[in-house]
Amino acid sequence: WGVLFSHPRDFTPVCTTELGRAAKLAPEFSKRNVKMIALSIDSVQDHLSWSKDINAYNGEQPEEKLPFPIIADANRELA
């Protein structure tokens, strides 16, 4: 199974809280062999900065690593 989180832009409050909660629940998804991935129209560099924001929202150290990747779709070809 897989979960695709599709977001319009990085740093939006709802998207940040949703991915923050998903990051917290990642171990539970992993136990069930469910792969998680996110998609946003912003650049990889923005995603790395946003990942820090997401981790900070969870009360963790603001680092670039999340338990799932975020796909950059700047040309909106995937969306």
Side-chain angles (χ1 to χ4, degrees):
W1 291 98
V3 177
L4 170 66
F5 300 94
S6 180
H7 294 285
R9 293 202 84 68
D10 294 354
F11 298 101
T12 60
V14 172
C15 299
T16 301
T17 56
E18 181 179 75
L19 290 185
R21 186 66 179 144
K24 281 284 193 192
L25 292 172
E28 294 301 317
F29 282 97
S30 183
K31 281 185 205 175
R32 293 161 177 83
N33 201 27
V34 175
K35 306 297 183 201
M36 299 165 57
I37 193 165
L39 171 75
S40 178
I41 64 167
D42 293 311
S43 69
V44 170
Q45 192 58 40
D46 285 341
H47 295 342
L48 295 173
S49 296
W50 187 30
S51 296
K52 292 178 184 178
D53 215 35
I54 293 165
N55 284 322
Y57 167 79
N58 281 333
E60 298 172 3
Q61 289 296 323
E63 60 181 70
E64 294 176 350
K65 185 156 176 60
L66 289 173
F68 49 83
I70 303 174
I71 299 169
D73 188 22
N75 295 329
R76 294 165 180 84
E77 293 173 355
L78 296 173

mmCIF file with all atom_site columns, all heavy atoms in Angstrom, residues 68-79:
data_model
loop_
_atom_site.group_PDB
_atom_site.id
_atom_site.type_symbol
_atom_site.label_atom_id
_atom_site.label_alt_id
_atom_site.label_comp_id
_atom_site.label_asym_id
_atom_site.label_entity_id
_atom_site.label_seq_id
_atom_site.pdbx_PDB_ins_code
_atom_site.Cartn_x
_atom_site.Cartn_y
_atom_site.Cartn_z
_atom_site.occupancy
_atom_site.B_iso_or_equiv
_atom_site.pdbx_formal_charge
_atom_site.auth_seq_id
_atom_site.auth_comp_id
_atom_site.auth_asym_id
_atom_site.auth_atom_id
_atom_site.pdbx_PDB_model_num
ATOM 1  N N   . PHE A 1 68 ? 9.816  10.253 4.801   1.00 0.00 ? 68 PHE A N   1
ATOM 2  C CA  . PHE A 1 68 ? 9.307  10.000 3.449   1.00 0.00 ? 68 PHE A CA  1
ATOM 3  C C   . PHE A 1 68 ? 9.796  11.124 2.543   1.00 0.00 ? 68 PHE A C   1
ATOM 4  O O   . PHE A 1 68 ? 10.075 12.224 2.994   1.00 0.00 ? 68 PHE A O   1
ATOM 5  C CB  . PHE A 1 68 ? 7.772  9.929  3.431   1.00 0.00 ? 68 PHE A CB  1
ATOM 6  C CG  . PHE A 1 68 ? 7.099  11.064 4.142   1.00 0.00 ? 68 PHE A CG  1
ATOM 7  C CD1 . PHE A 1 68 ? 6.885  12.280 3.506   1.00 0.00 ? 68 PHE A CD1 1
ATOM 8  C CD2 . PHE A 1 68 ? 6.701  10.937 5.459   1.00 0.00 ? 68 PHE A CD2 1
ATOM 9  C CE1 . PHE A 1 68 ? 6.285  13.335 4.165   1.00 0.00 ? 68 PHE A CE1 1
ATOM 10 C CE2 . PHE A 1 68 ? 6.089  11.984 6.134   1.00 0.00 ? 68 PHE A CE2 1
ATOM 11 C CZ  . PHE A 1 68 ? 5.886  13.179 5.486   1.00 0.00 ? 68 PHE A CZ  1
ATOM 12 N N   . PRO A 1 69 ? 9.911  10.854 1.242   1.00 0.00 ? 69 PRO A N   1
ATOM 13 C CA  . PRO A 1 69 ? 10.375 11.891 0.319   1.00 0.00 ? 69 PRO A CA  1
ATOM 14 C C   . PRO A 1 69 ? 9.244  12.833 -0.103  1.00 0.00 ? 69 PRO A C   1
ATOM 15 O O   . PRO A 1 69 ? 8.058  12.493 -0.006  1.00 0.00 ? 69 PRO A O   1
ATOM 16 C CB  . PRO A 1 69 ? 10.872 11.091 -0.887  1.00 0.00 ? 69 PRO A CB  1
ATOM 17 C CG  . PRO A 1 69 ? 10.067 9.830  -0.850  1.00 0.00 ? 69 PRO A CG  1
ATOM 18 C CD  . PRO A 1 69 ? 9.794  9.543  0.602   1.00 0.00 ? 69 PRO A CD  1
ATOM 19 N N   . ILE A 1 70 ? 9.641  14.007 -0.549  1.00 0.00 ? 70 ILE A N   1
ATOM 20 C CA  . ILE A 1 70 ? 8.710  14.969 -1.156  1.00 0.00 ? 70 ILE A CA  1
ATOM 21 C C   . ILE A 1 70 ? 9.171  15.167 -2.600  1.00 0.00 ? 70 ILE A C   1
ATOM 22 O O   . ILE A 1 70 ? 10.305 15.563 -2.854  1.00 0.00 ? 70 ILE A O   1
ATOM 23 C CB  . ILE A 1 70 ? 8.699  16.317 -0.419  1.00 0.00 ? 70 ILE A CB  1
ATOM 24 C CG1 . ILE A 1 70 ? 8.344  16.139 1.056   1.00 0.00 ? 70 ILE A CG1 1
ATOM 25 C CG2 . ILE A 1 70 ? 7.714  17.280 -1.099  1.00 0.00 ? 70 ILE A CG2 1
ATOM 26 C CD1 . ILE A 1 70 ? 8.448  17.420 1.880   1.00 0.00 ? 70 ILE A CD1 1
ATOM 27 N N   . ILE A 1 71 ? 8.293  14.885 -3.536  1.00 0.00 ? 71 ILE A N   1
ATOM 28 C CA  . ILE A 1 71 ? 8.601  15.025 -4.958  1.00 0.00 ? 71 ILE A CA  1
ATOM 29 C C   . ILE A 1 71 ? 8.431  16.482 -5.370  1.00 0.00 ? 71 ILE A C   1
ATOM 30 O O   . ILE A 1 71 ? 7.421  17.107 -5.044  1.00 0.00 ? 71 ILE A O   1
ATOM 31 C CB  . ILE A 1 71 ? 7.658  14.163 -5.818  1.00 0.00 ? 71 ILE A CB  1
ATOM 32 C CG1 . ILE A 1 71 ? 7.805  12.694 -5.459  1.00 0.00 ? 71 ILE A CG1 1
ATOM 33 C CG2 . ILE A 1 71 ? 7.905  14.389 -7.308  1.00 0.00 ? 71 ILE A CG2 1
ATOM 34 C CD1 . ILE A 1 71 ? 6.727  11.819 -6.079  1.00 0.00 ? 71 ILE A CD1 1
ATOM 35 N N   . ALA A 1 72 ? 9.416  17.007 -6.084  1.00 0.00 ? 72 ALA A N   1
ATOM 36 C CA  . ALA A 1 72 ? 9.321  18.357 -6.631  1.00 0.00 ? 72 ALA A CA  1
ATOM 37 C C   . ALA A 1 72 ? 8.629  18.285 -7.989  1.00 0.00 ? 72 ALA A C   1
ATOM 38 O O   . ALA A 1 72 ? 9.028  17.505 -8.846  1.00 0.00 ? 72 ALA A O   1
ATOM 39 C CB  . ALA A 1 72 ? 10.712 18.971 -6.778  1.00 0.00 ? 72 ALA A CB  1
ATOM 40 N N   . ASP A 1 73 ? 7.591  19.076 -8.172  1.00 0.00 ? 73 ASP A N   1
ATOM 41 C CA  . ASP A 1 73 ? 6.827  19.083 -9.426  1.00 0.00 ? 73 ASP A CA  1
ATOM 42 C C   . ASP A 1 73 ? 6.668  20.526 -9.911  1.00 0.00 ? 73 ASP A C   1
ATOM 43 O O   . ASP A 1 73 ? 5.563  20.994 -10.157 1.00 0.00 ? 73 ASP A O   1
ATOM 44 C CB  . ASP A 1 73 ? 5.471  18.412 -9.187  1.00 0.00 ? 73 ASP A CB  1
ATOM 45 C CG  . ASP A 1 73 ? 4.676  18.188 -10.470 1.00 0.00 ? 73 ASP A CG  1
ATOM 46 O OD1 . ASP A 1 73 ? 5.303  18.155 -11.554 1.00 0.00 ? 73 ASP A OD1 1
ATOM 47 O OD2 . ASP A 1 73 ? 3.447  18.060 -10.393 1.00 0.00 ? 73 ASP A OD2 1
ATOM 48 N N   . ALA A 1 74 ? 7.811  21.201 -10.046 1.00 0.00 ? 74 ALA A N   1
ATOM 49 C CA  . ALA A 1 74 ? 7.793  22.624 -10.398 1.00 0.00 ? 74 ALA A CA  1
ATOM 50 C C   . ALA A 1 74 ? 7.089  22.906 -11.725 1.00 0.00 ? 74 ALA A C   1
ATOM 51 O O   . ALA A 1 74 ? 6.453  23.948 -11.889 1.00 0.00 ? 74 ALA A O   1
ATOM 52 C CB  . ALA A 1 74 ? 9.217  23.166 -10.428 1.00 0.00 ? 74 ALA A CB  1
ATOM 53 N N   . ASN A 1 75 ? 7.182  21.981 -12.670 1.00 0.00 ? 75 ASN A N   1
ATOM 54 C CA  . ASN A 1 75 ? 6.523  22.174 -13.974 1.00 0.00 ? 75 ASN A CA  1
ATOM 55 C C   . ASN A 1 75 ? 5.101  21.644 -13.995 1.00 0.00 ? 75 ASN A C   1
ATOM 56 O O   . ASN A 1 75 ? 4.434  21.684 -15.032 1.00 0.00 ? 75 ASN A O   1
ATOM 57 C CB  . ASN A 1 75 ? 7.341  21.486 -15.082 1.00 0.00 ? 75 ASN A CB  1
ATOM 58 C CG  . ASN A 1 75 ? 8.697  22.127 -15.251 1.00 0.00 ? 75 ASN A CG  1
ATOM 59 O OD1 . ASN A 1 75 ? 8.859  23.327 -15.034 1.00 0.00 ? 75 ASN A OD1 1
ATOM 60 N ND2 . ASN A 1 75 ? 9.664  21.325 -15.622 1.00 0.00 ? 75 ASN A ND2 1
ATOM 61 N N   . ARG A 1 76 ? 4.666  21.117 -12.885 1.00 0.00 ? 76 ARG A N   1
ATOM 62 C CA  . ARG A 1 76 ? 3.297  20.590 -12.716 1.00 0.00 ? 76 ARG A CA  1
ATOM 63 C C   . ARG A 1 76 ? 2.986  19.479 -13.727 1.00 0.00 ? 76 ARG A C   1
ATOM 64 O O   . ARG A 1 76 ? 1.860  19.344 -14.188 1.00 0.00 ? 76 ARG A O   1
ATOM 65 C CB  . ARG A 1 76 ? 2.283  21.705 -12.772 1.00 0.00 ? 76 ARG A CB  1
ATOM 66 C CG  . ARG A 1 76 ? 2.412  22.673 -11.615 1.00 0.00 ? 76 ARG A CG  1
ATOM 67 C CD  . ARG A 1 76 ? 1.638  23.948 -11.880 1.00 0.00 ? 76 ARG A CD  1
ATOM 68 N NE  . ARG A 1 76 ? 1.728  24.908 -10.801 1.00 0.00 ? 76 ARG A NE  1
ATOM 69 C CZ  . ARG A 1 76 ? 2.707  25.769 -10.627 1.00 0.00 ? 76 ARG A CZ  1
ATOM 70 N NH1 . ARG A 1 76 ? 3.733  25.767 -11.447 1.00 0.00 ? 76 ARG A NH1 1
ATOM 71 N NH2 . ARG A 1 76 ? 2.695  26.623 -9.625  1.00 0.00 ? 76 ARG A NH2 1
ATOM 72 N N   . GLU A 1 77 ? 3.996  18.686 -14.047 1.00 0.00 ? 77 GLU A N   1
ATOM 73 C CA  . GLU A 1 77 ? 3.798  17.579 -14.981 1.00 0.00 ? 77 GLU A CA  1
ATOM 74 C C   . GLU A 1 77 ? 3.172  16.362 -14.305 1.00 0.00 ? 77 GLU A C   1
ATOM 75 O O   . GLU A 1 77 ? 2.406  15.646 -14.922 1.00 0.00 ? 77 GLU A O   1
ATOM 76 C CB  . GLU A 1 77 ? 5.121  17.201 -15.622 1.00 0.00 ? 77 GLU A CB  1
ATOM 77 C CG  . GLU A 1 77 ? 5.678  18.283 -16.525 1.00 0.00 ? 77 GLU A CG  1
ATOM 78 C CD  . GLU A 1 77 ? 7.063  17.997 -17.028 1.00 0.00 ? 77 GLU A CD  1
ATOM 79 O OE1 . GLU A 1 77 ? 7.672  16.980 -16.611 1.00 0.00 ? 77 GLU A OE1 1
ATOM 80 O OE2 . GLU A 1 77 ? 7.583  18.791 -17.829 1.00 0.00 ? 77 GLU A OE2 1
ATOM 81 N N   . LEU A 1 78 ? 3.523  16.119 -13.061 1.00 0.00 ? 78 LEU A N   1
ATOM 82 C CA  . LEU A 1 78 ? 2.968  14.977 -12.343 1.00 0.00 ? 78 LEU A CA  1
ATOM 83 C C   . LEU A 1 78 ? 1.563  15.258 -11.829 1.00 0.00 ? 78 LEU A C   1
ATOM 84 O O   . LEU A 1 78 ? 0.698  14.401 -11.912 1.00 0.00 ? 78 LEU A O   1
ATOM 85 C CB  . LEU A 1 78 ? 3.878  14.590 -11.173 1.00 0.00 ? 78 LEU A CB  1
ATOM 86 C CG  . LEU A 1 78 ? 5.263  14.116 -11.564 1.00 0.00 ? 78 LEU A CG  1
ATOM 87 C CD1 . LEU A 1 78 ? 6.129  13.925 -10.320 1.00 0.00 ? 78 LEU A CD1 1
ATOM 88 C CD2 . LEU A 1 78 ? 5.175  12.827 -12.353 1.00 0.00 ? 78 LEU A CD2 1
ATOM 89 N N   . ALA A 1 79 ? 1.386  16.445 -11.290 1.00 0.00 ? 79 ALA A N   1
ATOM 90 C CA  . ALA A 1 79 ? 0.075  16.795 -10.740 1.00 0.00 ? 79 ALA A CA  1
ATOM 91 C C   . ALA A 1 79 ? -0.953 16.849 -11.847 1.00 0.00 ? 79 ALA A C   1
ATOM 92 O O   . ALA A 1 79 ? -2.067 16.457 -11.707 1.00 0.00 ? 79 ALA A O   1
ATOM 93 C CB  . ALA A 1 79 ? 0.136  18.126 -10.007 1.00 0.00 ? 79 ALA A CB  1
#
